[in-house]
Amino acid sequence: VYCWELWNEINATSPRTDYAPWSAWALGELKRMFPNQLTVNNLGSFSDMGAYQAYDELATERGNDFLQVHRYLDAGADLDVCRKAMDVVAASAVREMLSRRADCPAVLAEVGAVEANHAGPFRHYAKDREGTLLHDALFAALFAGSAGCGQFWHWDHQYIDGNNLWWQFRRFATAVEGLDPVAERFRPFYTESRRLKMYGLRGKTVSVVWCRDKQSTWWDELELGKRPQVLSNERVPFRNCRLDCYLPWEDRRVTVDAPTLPAFSRSIVFRVPTSAVDGIVRPH
């Protein structure tokens, strides 16, 4: 056991004026009882206007050892970001946490897709046989700065197990195999091209980037039924180095000379010496 969680989505129980004093007392008691474990609290989905203030206050709670956030793709949410591509849904939630406490780890502790206002699991889950939603949530969270992959909620017959998508976790593990986040002290960065979103982690010696095709989203694939295109000759803003690439949708590695990526669809991960990143990405 590495962590004790005080309550799941505690803001669903009562107004903050009621639960905040109890939370402060209970987190202190947990820390006293379990001094060698982390202690945390959490809130419901970051999807409405009131969530900004609620998460602001969560970040100030003493005894809350890391910030966790819940965020869903939700057509009925107040916030437009909850209707965008899954990578944006996930990454933006992590950034919200890091902006509140940069000295504190952040984790996307619940992510998924639902019908409007959480009326039920997402109507397109059955169509997502290849797991594009899961893939994007896993990768986007980490590459936005989360201390781990996105934690997908609908793991059972409704989605992950029902579509037999467990292999997606192996692809994620392969993509990050051998990386040492502690030694590298990774810091997230973001850049983009006309076609690609590039989520990066800048380390002391090595940096790693996850590129996502802008034109292949859940809307295109699951709503409109479009197959993702194979992208060729896409370029990244790094020069005079080799790109150690992993193609997660093919489970294949290839090394190429920068700046041109190998052909791929949906997404690709590559590692590059941090010396090639300096001058292009502002250090954090």
Side-chain angles (χ1 to χ4, degrees):
V1 177
Y2 77 91
C3 176
W4 287 100
E5 181 176 271
L6 185 59
W7 196 299
N8 182 56
E9 300 191 348
I10 194 167
N11 59 323
T13 65
S14 60
R16 176 169 174 77
T17 52
D18 292 341
Y19 72 73
W22 180 83
S23 294
W25 171 83
L27 283 170
E29 283 296 293
L30 277 178
K31 187 63 71 177
R32 181 184 63 80
M33 296 166 64
F34 306 103
N36 297 321
Q37 275 75 46
L38 299 173
T39 55
V40 293
N41 204 356
N42 82 60
L43 304 175
S45 185
F46 199 131
S47 59
D48 59 59
M49 293 181 291
Y52 290 98
Q53 182 180 5
Y55 275 93
D56 285 346
E57 294 169 340
L58 178 69
T60 68
E61 284 189 358
R62 297 186 61 183
N64 201 38
D65 290 328
F66 62 89
L67 290 180
Q68 51 180 323
V69 60
H70 297 181
R71 165 66 70 74
Y72 286 81
L73 174 65
D74 176 5
D78 285 347
L79 308 184
D80 283 341
V81 69
C82 295
R83 287 178 281 278
K84 295 189 176 182
M86 179 58 90
D87 63 287
V88 177
V89 170
S92 61
V94 174
R95 292 186 187 123
E96 290 283 1
M97 296 304 99
L98 294 175
S99 71
R100 283 161 172 77
R101 278 190 63 184
D103 63 334
C104 181
V107 174
L108 182 57
E110 267 191 38
V111 63
V114 294
E115 287 299 280
N117 300 307
H118 292 259
F122 194 41
R123 65 188 183 281
H124 289 317
Y125 271 164
K127 293 182 183 178
D128 192 19
R129 292 292 181 180
E130 295 179 83
T132 58
L133 293 168
L134 174 60
H135 171 90
D136 286 350
L138 291 174
F139 280 80
L142 178 80
F143 282 86
S146 173
C149 66
Q151 309 293 306
F152 218 90
W153 177 250
H154 298 102
W155 58 267
D156 56 6
H157 65 282
Q158 297 174 107
Y159 182 52
I160 294 179
D161 198 55
N163 288 351
N164 193 25
L165 297 175
W166 300 106
W167 57 272
Q168 284 281 5
F169 293 92
R170 168 52 59 190
R171 301 290 173 87
F172 174 83
T174 301
V176 300
E177 187 175 13
L179 294 174
D180 188 338
V182 177
E184 291 291 341
R185 298 184 64 82
F186 284 127
R187 294 294 181 268
F189 67 89
Y190 178 84
T191 188
E192 60 182 83
S193 66
R194 183 183 298 271
R195 185 65 185 256
L196 301 178
K197 291 173 281 190
M198 303 179 207
Y199 299 86
L201 296 172
R202 181 187 184 279
K204 284 187 172 182
T205 62
V206 65
S207 296
V208 58
V209 181
W210 177 60
C211 299
R212 187 61 168 92
D213 179 9
K214 293 179 180 179
Q215 296 184 24
S216 177
T217 68
W218 68 265
W219 179 266
D220 297 292
E221 290 199 36
L222 305 179
E223 187 77 24
L224 302 181
K226 295 181 180 179
R227 292 295 301 167
Q229 295 180 359
V230 175
L231 305 184
S232 300
N233 299 315
E234 291 296 325
R235 296 161 67 88
V236 293
F238 308 110
R239 304 290 185 272
N240 303 318
C241 64
R242 301 277 280 171
L243 304 176
D244 178 12
C245 304
Y246 175 63
L247 286 69
W249 293 97
E250 300 176 31
D251 196 21
R252 180 170 64 91
R253 292 190 182 277
V254 60
T255 301
V256 297
D257 290 320
T260 305
L261 295 171
F264 70 96
S265 64
R266 292 195 184 103
S267 70
I268 187 171
V269 178
F270 66 85
R271 303 182 190 190
V272 61
T274 294
S275 57
V277 175
D278 292 338
I280 297 173
V281 174
R282 180 174 61 85
H284 294 278

mmCIF file of all heavy atoms in Angstrom, residues 39-80:
data_model
loop_
_atom_site.group_PDB
_atom_site.id
_atom_site.type_symbol
_atom_site.label_atom_id
_atom_site.label_comp_id
_atom_site.label_asym_id
_atom_site.label_seq_id
_atom_site.Cartn_x
_atom_site.Cartn_y
_atom_site.Cartn_z
ATOM 1 N N THR A 39 -0.867 10.287 1.639
ATOM 2 C CA THR A 39 -2.288 10.499 1.911
ATOM 3 C C THR A 39 -2.827 11.524 0.925
ATOM 4 O O THR A 39 -2.160 12.521 0.623
ATOM 5 C CB THR A 39 -2.515 11.006 3.348
ATOM 6 O OG1 THR A 39 -1.725 12.185 3.579
ATOM 7 C CG2 THR A 39 -2.137 9.937 4.365
ATOM 8 N N VAL A 40 -4.023 11.282 0.410
ATOM 9 C CA VAL A 40 -4.587 12.159 -0.620
ATOM 10 C C VAL A 40 -6.097 12.271 -0.483
ATOM 11 O O VAL A 40 -6.760 11.429 0.115
ATOM 12 C CB VAL A 40 -4.257 11.665 -2.055
ATOM 13 C CG1 VAL A 40 -2.781 11.758 -2.350
ATOM 14 C CG2 VAL A 40 -4.756 10.248 -2.269
ATOM 15 N N ASN A 41 -6.616 13.313 -1.090
ATOM 16 C CA ASN A 41 -8.048 13.529 -1.228
ATOM 17 C C ASN A 41 -8.319 13.689 -2.723
ATOM 18 O O ASN A 41 -7.386 13.877 -3.511
ATOM 19 C CB ASN A 41 -8.462 14.791 -0.465
ATOM 20 C CG ASN A 41 -9.929 14.769 -0.082
ATOM 21 O OD1 ASN A 41 -10.662 13.854 -0.437
ATOM 22 N ND2 ASN A 41 -10.358 15.790 0.647
ATOM 23 N N ASN A 42 -9.563 13.611 -3.151
ATOM 24 C CA ASN A 42 -9.843 13.878 -4.563
ATOM 25 C C ASN A 42 -11.259 14.406 -4.745
ATOM 26 O O ASN A 42 -12.103 14.296 -3.857
ATOM 27 C CB ASN A 42 -9.572 12.655 -5.434
ATOM 28 C CG ASN A 42 -10.702 11.643 -5.448
ATOM 29 O OD1 ASN A 42 -11.826 11.941 -5.840
ATOM 30 N ND2 ASN A 42 -10.418 10.415 -5.008
ATOM 31 N N LEU A 43 -11.472 14.982 -5.928
ATOM 32 C CA LEU A 43 -12.746 15.602 -6.281
ATOM 33 C C LEU A 43 -13.317 14.964 -7.540
ATOM 34 O O LEU A 43 -12.649 14.184 -8.215
ATOM 35 C CB LEU A 43 -12.556 17.103 -6.511
ATOM 36 C CG LEU A 43 -11.946 17.903 -5.365
ATOM 37 C CD1 LEU A 43 -11.712 19.343 -5.806
ATOM 38 C CD2 LEU A 43 -12.841 17.858 -4.130
ATOM 39 N N GLY A 44 -14.544 15.341 -7.864
ATOM 40 C CA GLY A 44 -15.197 14.844 -9.066
ATOM 41 C C GLY A 44 -14.610 15.436 -10.338
ATOM 42 O O GLY A 44 -13.665 16.224 -10.314
ATOM 43 N N SER A 45 -15.177 15.069 -11.465
ATOM 44 C CA SER A 45 -14.634 15.428 -12.770
ATOM 45 C C SER A 45 -14.466 16.937 -12.934
ATOM 46 O O SER A 45 -15.362 17.719 -12.608
ATOM 47 C CB SER A 45 -15.540 14.894 -13.879
ATOM 48 O OG SER A 45 -14.968 15.123 -15.152
ATOM 49 N N PHE A 46 -13.312 17.319 -13.457
ATOM 50 C CA PHE A 46 -13.017 18.724 -13.748
ATOM 51 C C PHE A 46 -13.731 19.077 -15.050
ATOM 52 O O PHE A 46 -13.143 19.058 -16.123
ATOM 53 C CB PHE A 46 -11.502 18.907 -13.895
ATOM 54 C CG PHE A 46 -11.031 20.329 -13.756
ATOM 55 C CD1 PHE A 46 -9.975 20.643 -12.917
ATOM 56 C CD2 PHE A 46 -11.629 21.360 -14.453
ATOM 57 C CE1 PHE A 46 -9.522 21.945 -12.785
ATOM 58 C CE2 PHE A 46 -11.201 22.661 -14.328
ATOM 59 C CZ PHE A 46 -10.137 22.949 -13.488
ATOM 60 N N SER A 47 -15.015 19.393 -14.927
ATOM 61 C CA SER A 47 -15.819 19.561 -16.132
ATOM 62 C C SER A 47 -16.797 20.721 -16.079
ATOM 63 O O SER A 47 -17.481 20.979 -17.063
ATOM 64 C CB SER A 47 -16.605 18.277 -16.415
ATOM 65 O OG SER A 47 -17.445 17.951 -15.324
ATOM 66 N N ASP A 48 -16.878 21.417 -14.933
ATOM 67 C CA ASP A 48 -17.818 22.531 -14.855
ATOM 68 C C ASP A 48 -17.137 23.757 -14.260
ATOM 69 O O ASP A 48 -16.000 23.681 -13.774
ATOM 70 C CB ASP A 48 -19.056 22.160 -14.043
ATOM 71 C CG ASP A 48 -18.714 21.734 -12.617
ATOM 72 O OD1 ASP A 48 -18.108 22.541 -11.882
ATOM 73 O OD2 ASP A 48 -19.051 20.594 -12.250
ATOM 74 N N MET A 49 -17.817 24.881 -14.279
ATOM 75 C CA MET A 49 -17.217 26.135 -13.840
ATOM 76 C C MET A 49 -16.776 26.095 -12.383
ATOM 77 O O MET A 49 -15.753 26.653 -12.011
ATOM 78 C CB MET A 49 -18.208 27.284 -14.070
ATOM 79 C CG MET A 49 -18.478 27.576 -15.534
ATOM 80 S SD MET A 49 -19.633 28.960 -15.749
ATOM 81 C CE MET A 49 -21.166 28.222 -15.127
ATOM 82 N N GLY A 50 -17.545 25.410 -11.558
ATOM 83 C CA GLY A 50 -17.200 25.345 -10.149
ATOM 84 C C GLY A 50 -15.955 24.535 -9.853
ATOM 85 O O GLY A 50 -15.379 24.646 -8.761
ATOM 86 N N ALA A 51 -15.525 23.719 -10.829
ATOM 87 C CA ALA A 51 -14.353 22.865 -10.604
ATOM 88 C C ALA A 51 -13.077 23.671 -10.437
ATOM 89 O O ALA A 51 -12.155 23.244 -9.736
ATOM 90 C CB ALA A 51 -14.201 21.880 -11.762
ATOM 91 N N TYR A 52 -13.009 24.848 -11.064
ATOM 92 C CA TYR A 52 -11.799 25.659 -10.939
ATOM 93 C C TYR A 52 -11.534 26.016 -9.479
ATOM 94 O O TYR A 52 -10.432 25.822 -8.968
ATOM 95 C CB TYR A 52 -11.910 26.923 -11.789
ATOM 96 C CG TYR A 52 -11.851 26.670 -13.268
ATOM 97 C CD1 TYR A 52 -13.010 26.594 -14.030
ATOM 98 C CD2 TYR A 52 -10.629 26.494 -13.913
ATOM 99 C CE1 TYR A 52 -12.960 26.345 -15.388
ATOM 100 C CE2 TYR A 52 -10.563 26.253 -15.274
ATOM 101 C CZ TYR A 52 -11.734 26.177 -16.013
ATOM 102 O OH TYR A 52 -11.683 25.930 -17.355
ATOM 103 N N GLN A 53 -12.555 26.531 -8.805
ATOM 104 C CA GLN A 53 -12.377 26.909 -7.415
ATOM 105 C C GLN A 53 -12.175 25.685 -6.531
ATOM 106 O O GLN A 53 -11.345 25.695 -5.608
ATOM 107 C CB GLN A 53 -13.587 27.701 -6.918
ATOM 108 C CG GLN A 53 -13.437 28.162 -5.463
ATOM 109 C CD GLN A 53 -14.638 28.946 -4.978
ATOM 110 O OE1 GLN A 53 -15.635 29.086 -5.678
ATOM 111 N NE2 GLN A 53 -14.557 29.463 -3.763
ATOM 112 N N ALA A 54 -12.911 24.610 -6.816
ATOM 113 C CA ALA A 54 -12.795 23.409 -5.994
ATOM 114 C C ALA A 54 -11.380 22.837 -6.055
ATOM 115 O O ALA A 54 -10.805 22.456 -5.025
ATOM 116 C CB ALA A 54 -13.809 22.363 -6.454
ATOM 117 N N TYR A 55 -10.809 22.808 -7.243
ATOM 118 C CA TYR A 55 -9.454 22.275 -7.382
ATOM 119 C C TYR A 55 -8.411 23.269 -6.869
ATOM 120 O O TYR A 55 -7.345 22.854 -6.399
ATOM 121 C CB TYR A 55 -9.185 21.863 -8.827
ATOM 122 C CG TYR A 55 -9.664 20.454 -9.129
ATOM 123 C CD1 TYR A 55 -10.934 20.221 -9.658
ATOM 124 C CD2 TYR A 55 -8.846 19.356 -8.875
ATOM 125 C CE1 TYR A 55 -11.372 18.919 -9.925
ATOM 126 C CE2 TYR A 55 -9.273 18.064 -9.135
ATOM 127 C CZ TYR A 55 -10.536 17.845 -9.665
ATOM 128 O OH TYR A 55 -10.973 16.560 -9.921
ATOM 129 N N ASP A 56 -8.692 24.562 -6.966
ATOM 130 C CA ASP A 56 -7.809 25.547 -6.327
ATOM 131 C C ASP A 56 -7.670 25.233 -4.844
ATOM 132 O O ASP A 56 -6.573 25.239 -4.274
ATOM 133 C CB ASP A 56 -8.380 26.963 -6.473
ATOM 134 C CG ASP A 56 -8.203 27.533 -7.873
ATOM 135 O OD1 ASP A 56 -7.416 26.962 -8.648
ATOM 136 O OD2 ASP A 56 -8.865 28.542 -8.177
ATOM 137 N N GLU A 57 -8.814 24.968 -4.208
ATOM 138 C CA GLU A 57 -8.817 24.723 -2.766
ATOM 139 C C GLU A 57 -8.207 23.364 -2.429
ATOM 140 O O GLU A 57 -7.523 23.215 -1.410
ATOM 141 C CB GLU A 57 -10.241 24.841 -2.235
ATOM 142 C CG GLU A 57 -10.781 26.270 -2.354
ATOM 143 C CD GLU A 57 -12.265 26.377 -2.080
ATOM 144 O OE1 GLU A 57 -12.960 25.336 -2.163
ATOM 145 O OE2 GLU A 57 -12.737 27.491 -1.787
ATOM 146 N N LEU A 58 -8.425 22.371 -3.305
ATOM 147 C CA LEU A 58 -7.810 21.065 -3.086
ATOM 148 C C LEU A 58 -6.285 21.185 -3.021
ATOM 149 O O LEU A 58 -5.631 20.517 -2.213
ATOM 150 C CB LEU A 58 -8.198 20.101 -4.210
ATOM 151 C CG LEU A 58 -7.586 18.700 -4.146
ATOM 152 C CD1 LEU A 58 -8.157 17.916 -2.970
ATOM 153 C CD2 LEU A 58 -7.817 17.942 -5.455
ATOM 154 N N ALA A 59 -5.734 22.046 -3.856
ATOM 155 C CA ALA A 59 -4.280 22.202 -3.924
ATOM 156 C C ALA A 59 -3.703 22.806 -2.655
ATOM 157 O O ALA A 59 -2.495 22.721 -2.422
ATOM 158 C CB ALA A 59 -3.906 23.066 -5.126
ATOM 159 N N THR A 60 -4.539 23.419 -1.827
ATOM 160 C CA THR A 60 -4.048 24.047 -0.597
ATOM 161 C C THR A 60 -4.202 23.143 0.626
ATOM 162 O O THR A 60 -3.737 23.505 1.707
ATOM 163 C CB THR A 60 -4.794 25.368 -0.328
ATOM 164 O OG1 THR A 60 -6.168 25.078 -0.011
ATOM 165 C CG2 THR A 60 -4.724 26.289 -1.535
ATOM 166 N N GLU A 61 -4.858 22.007 0.482
ATOM 167 C CA GLU A 61 -5.105 21.135 1.631
ATOM 168 C C GLU A 61 -3.798 20.537 2.150
ATOM 169 O O GLU A 61 -3.069 19.881 1.411
ATOM 170 C CB GLU A 61 -6.075 20.011 1.262
ATOM 171 C CG GLU A 61 -7.518 20.439 1.160
ATOM 172 C CD GLU A 61 -8.461 19.251 1.011
ATOM 173 O OE1 GLU A 61 -7.974 18.102 0.953
ATOM 174 O OE2 GLU A 61 -9.683 19.483 0.944
ATOM 175 N N ARG A 62 -3.533 20.735 3.402
ATOM 176 C CA ARG A 62 -2.364 20.130 4.033
ATOM 177 C C ARG A 62 -2.592 18.624 4.175
ATOM 178 O O ARG A 62 -3.687 18.170 4.463
ATOM 179 C CB ARG A 62 -2.115 20.749 5.394
ATOM 180 C CG ARG A 62 -1.778 22.232 5.343
ATOM 181 C CD ARG A 62 -1.402 22.752 6.716
ATOM 182 N NE ARG A 62 -0.214 22.075 7.246
ATOM 183 C CZ ARG A 62 0.301 22.303 8.448
ATOM 184 N NH1 ARG A 62 -0.269 23.176 9.266
ATOM 185 N NH2 ARG A 62 1.372 21.655 8.861
ATOM 186 N N GLY A 63 -1.533 17.856 3.953
ATOM 187 C CA GLY A 63 -1.650 16.405 4.023
ATOM 188 C C GLY A 63 -2.029 15.771 2.715
ATOM 189 O O GLY A 63 -2.081 14.543 2.599
ATOM 190 N N ASN A 64 -2.318 16.597 1.695
ATOM 191 C CA ASN A 64 -2.621 16.083 0.360
ATOM 192 C C ASN A 64 -1.301 15.946 -0.392
ATOM 193 O O ASN A 64 -0.779 16.925 -0.913
ATOM 194 C CB ASN A 64 -3.578 17.041 -0.350
ATOM 195 C CG ASN A 64 -4.322 16.380 -1.488
ATOM 196 O OD1 ASN A 64 -4.701 15.222 -1.391
ATOM 197 N ND2 ASN A 64 -4.523 17.114 -2.560
ATOM 198 N N ASP A 65 -0.748 14.736 -0.439
ATOM 199 C CA ASP A 65 0.638 14.562 -0.870
ATOM 200 C C ASP A 65 0.852 14.632 -2.373
ATOM 201 O O ASP A 65 1.972 14.810 -2.832
ATOM 202 C CB ASP A 65 1.187 13.229 -0.342
ATOM 203 C CG ASP A 65 1.378 13.256 1.168
ATOM 204 O OD1 ASP A 65 1.687 14.340 1.694
ATOM 205 O OD2 ASP A 65 1.228 12.205 1.809
ATOM 206 N N PHE A 66 -0.187 14.421 -3.152
ATOM 207 C CA PHE A 66 -0.098 14.682 -4.592
ATOM 208 C C PHE A 66 -1.484 15.064 -5.082
ATOM 209 O O PHE A 66 -2.485 14.794 -4.417
ATOM 210 C CB PHE A 66 0.474 13.484 -5.370
ATOM 211 C CG PHE A 66 -0.336 12.219 -5.304
ATOM 212 C CD1 PHE A 66 -1.345 11.958 -6.222
ATOM 213 C CD2 PHE A 66 -0.066 11.257 -4.335
ATOM 214 C CE1 PHE A 66 -2.074 10.780 -6.174
ATOM 215 C CE2 PHE A 66 -0.783 10.072 -4.279
ATOM 216 C CZ PHE A 66 -1.797 9.832 -5.193
ATOM 217 N N LEU A 67 -1.535 15.723 -6.219
ATOM 218 C CA LEU A 67 -2.810 16.182 -6.764
ATOM 219 C C LEU A 67 -3.312 15.182 -7.793
ATOM 220 O O LEU A 67 -2.604 14.856 -8.750
ATOM 221 C CB LEU A 67 -2.653 17.559 -7.411
ATOM 222 C CG LEU A 67 -2.411 18.725 -6.460
ATOM 223 C CD1 LEU A 67 -2.287 20.026 -7.248
ATOM 224 C CD2 LEU A 67 -3.519 18.838 -5.421
ATOM 225 N N GLN A 68 -4.504 14.696 -7.574
ATOM 226 C CA GLN A 68 -5.119 13.832 -8.578
ATOM 227 C C GLN A 68 -6.357 14.524 -9.133
ATOM 228 O O GLN A 68 -7.029 15.267 -8.442
ATOM 229 C CB GLN A 68 -5.444 12.461 -7.995
ATOM 230 C CG GLN A 68 -6.227 12.448 -6.713
ATOM 231 C CD GLN A 68 -6.486 11.037 -6.243
ATOM 232 O OE1 GLN A 68 -6.714 10.138 -7.039
ATOM 233 N NE2 GLN A 68 -6.468 10.826 -4.932
ATOM 234 N N VAL A 69 -6.600 14.245 -10.403
ATOM 235 C CA VAL A 69 -7.702 14.910 -11.087
ATOM 236 C C VAL A 69 -8.524 13.875 -11.837
ATOM 237 O O VAL A 69 -7.990 12.867 -12.319
ATOM 238 C CB VAL A 69 -7.176 16.007 -12.058
ATOM 239 C CG1 VAL A 69 -6.257 15.427 -13.113
ATOM 240 C CG2 VAL A 69 -8.324 16.785 -12.690
ATOM 241 N N HIS A 70 -9.831 14.108 -11.923
ATOM 242 C CA HIS A 70 -10.738 13.292 -12.722
ATOM 243 C C HIS A 70 -11.212 14.147 -13.894
ATOM 244 O O HIS A 70 -11.559 15.315 -13.713
ATOM 245 C CB HIS A 70 -11.943 12.846 -11.897
ATOM 246 C CG HIS A 70 -11.604 11.959 -10.739
ATOM 247 N ND1 HIS A 70 -12.564 11.441 -9.894
ATOM 248 C CD2 HIS A 70 -10.426 11.493 -10.280
ATOM 249 C CE1 HIS A 70 -11.987 10.686 -8.965
ATOM 250 N NE2 HIS A 70 -10.678 10.720 -9.183
ATOM 251 N N ARG A 71 -11.241 13.562 -15.068
ATOM 252 C CA ARG A 71 -11.693 14.318 -16.248
ATOM 253 C C ARG A 71 -12.214 13.333 -17.294
ATOM 254 O O ARG A 71 -11.552 12.345 -17.598
ATOM 255 C CB ARG A 71 -10.525 15.138 -16.790
ATOM 256 C CG ARG A 71 -10.654 15.726 -18.194
ATOM 257 C CD ARG A 71 -11.720 16.797 -18.339
ATOM 258 N NE ARG A 71 -11.448 18.061 -17.683
ATOM 259 C CZ ARG A 71 -10.573 18.982 -18.107
ATOM 260 N NH1 ARG A 71 -9.811 18.763 -19.159
ATOM 261 N NH2 ARG A 71 -10.449 20.125 -17.448
ATOM 262 N N TYR A 72 -13.393 13.615 -17.838
ATOM 263 C CA TYR A 72 -14.028 12.744 -18.821
ATOM 264 C C TYR A 72 -14.354 13.495 -20.110
ATOM 265 O O TYR A 72 -14.684 14.687 -20.076
ATOM 266 C CB TYR A 72 -15.328 12.152 -18.256
ATOM 267 C CG TYR A 72 -15.102 11.075 -17.220
ATOM 268 C CD1 TYR A 72 -14.806 11.421 -15.905
ATOM 269 C CD2 TYR A 72 -15.158 9.733 -17.562
ATOM 270 C CE1 TYR A 72 -14.580 10.440 -14.951
ATOM 271 C CE2 TYR A 72 -14.926 8.742 -16.611
ATOM 272 C CZ TYR A 72 -14.642 9.100 -15.310
ATOM 273 O OH TYR A 72 -14.407 8.129 -14.368
ATOM 274 N N LEU A 73 -14.282 12.768 -21.214
ATOM 275 C CA LEU A 73 -14.869 13.227 -22.464
ATOM 276 C C LEU A 73 -16.375 13.195 -22.262
ATOM 277 O O LEU A 73 -16.955 12.133 -22.034
ATOM 278 C CB LEU A 73 -14.448 12.295 -23.598
ATOM 279 C CG LEU A 73 -15.080 12.523 -24.975
ATOM 280 C CD1 LEU A 73 -14.668 13.862 -25.550
ATOM 281 C CD2 LEU A 73 -14.681 11.394 -25.928
ATOM 282 N N ASP A 74 -17.009 14.369 -22.308
ATOM 283 C CA ASP A 74 -18.411 14.486 -21.881
ATOM 284 C C ASP A 74 -19.092 15.583 -22.683
ATOM 285 O O ASP A 74 -18.819 16.774 -22.493
ATOM 286 C CB ASP A 74 -18.449 14.795 -20.382
ATOM 287 C CG ASP A 74 -19.853 15.023 -19.845
ATOM 288 O OD1 ASP A 74 -20.832 14.847 -20.604
ATOM 289 O OD2 ASP A 74 -19.977 15.377 -18.657
ATOM 290 N N ALA A 75 -20.000 15.197 -23.563
ATOM 291 C CA ALA A 75 -20.684 16.166 -24.422
ATOM 292 C C ALA A 75 -21.559 17.124 -23.631
ATOM 293 O O ALA A 75 -21.893 18.210 -24.113
ATOM 294 C CB ALA A 75 -21.527 15.440 -25.466
ATOM 295 N N GLY A 76 -21.926 16.763 -22.410
ATOM 296 C CA GLY A 76 -22.794 17.626 -21.627
ATOM 297 C C GLY A 76 -22.066 18.522 -20.650
ATOM 298 O O GLY A 76 -22.699 19.274 -19.910
ATOM 299 N N ALA A 77 -20.746 18.485 -20.649
ATOM 300 C CA ALA A 77 -19.971 19.274 -19.692
ATOM 301 C C ALA A 77 -20.082 20.765 -19.981
ATOM 302 O O ALA A 77 -20.287 21.189 -21.125
ATOM 303 C CB ALA A 77 -18.501 18.853 -19.740
ATOM 304 N N ASP A 78 -19.924 21.576 -18.936
ATOM 305 C CA ASP A 78 -19.881 23.028 -19.109
ATOM 306 C C ASP A 78 -18.669 23.444 -19.931
ATOM 307 O O ASP A 78 -18.745 24.390 -20.715
ATOM 308 C CB ASP A 78 -19.791 23.725 -17.746
ATOM 309 C CG ASP A 78 -21.107 23.722 -16.990
ATOM 310 O OD1 ASP A 78 -22.142 23.403 -17.605
ATOM 311 O OD2 ASP A 78 -21.091 24.026 -15.788
ATOM 312 N N LEU A 79 -17.540 22.773 -19.724
ATOM 313 C CA LEU A 79 -16.277 23.189 -20.320
ATOM 314 C C LEU A 79 -16.092 22.587 -21.716
ATOM 315 O O LEU A 79 -16.194 21.363 -21.896
ATOM 316 C CB LEU A 79 -15.106 22.774 -19.424
ATOM 317 C CG LEU A 79 -15.190 23.200 -17.955
ATOM 318 C CD1 LEU A 79 -13.925 22.811 -17.213
ATOM 319 C CD2 LEU A 79 -15.462 24.700 -17.833
ATOM 320 N N ASP A 80 -15.800 23.436 -22.685
ATOM 321 C CA ASP A 80 -15.619 22.977 -24.062
ATOM 322 C C ASP A 80 -14.496 21.962 -24.193
ATOM 323 O O ASP A 80 -14.541 21.081 -25.052
ATOM 324 C CB ASP A 80 -15.319 24.173 -24.977
ATOM 325 C CG ASP A 80 -16.572 24.976 -25.306
ATOM 326 O OD1 ASP A 80 -17.678 24.433 -25.144
ATOM 327 O OD2 ASP A 80 -16.435 26.138 -25.727
#
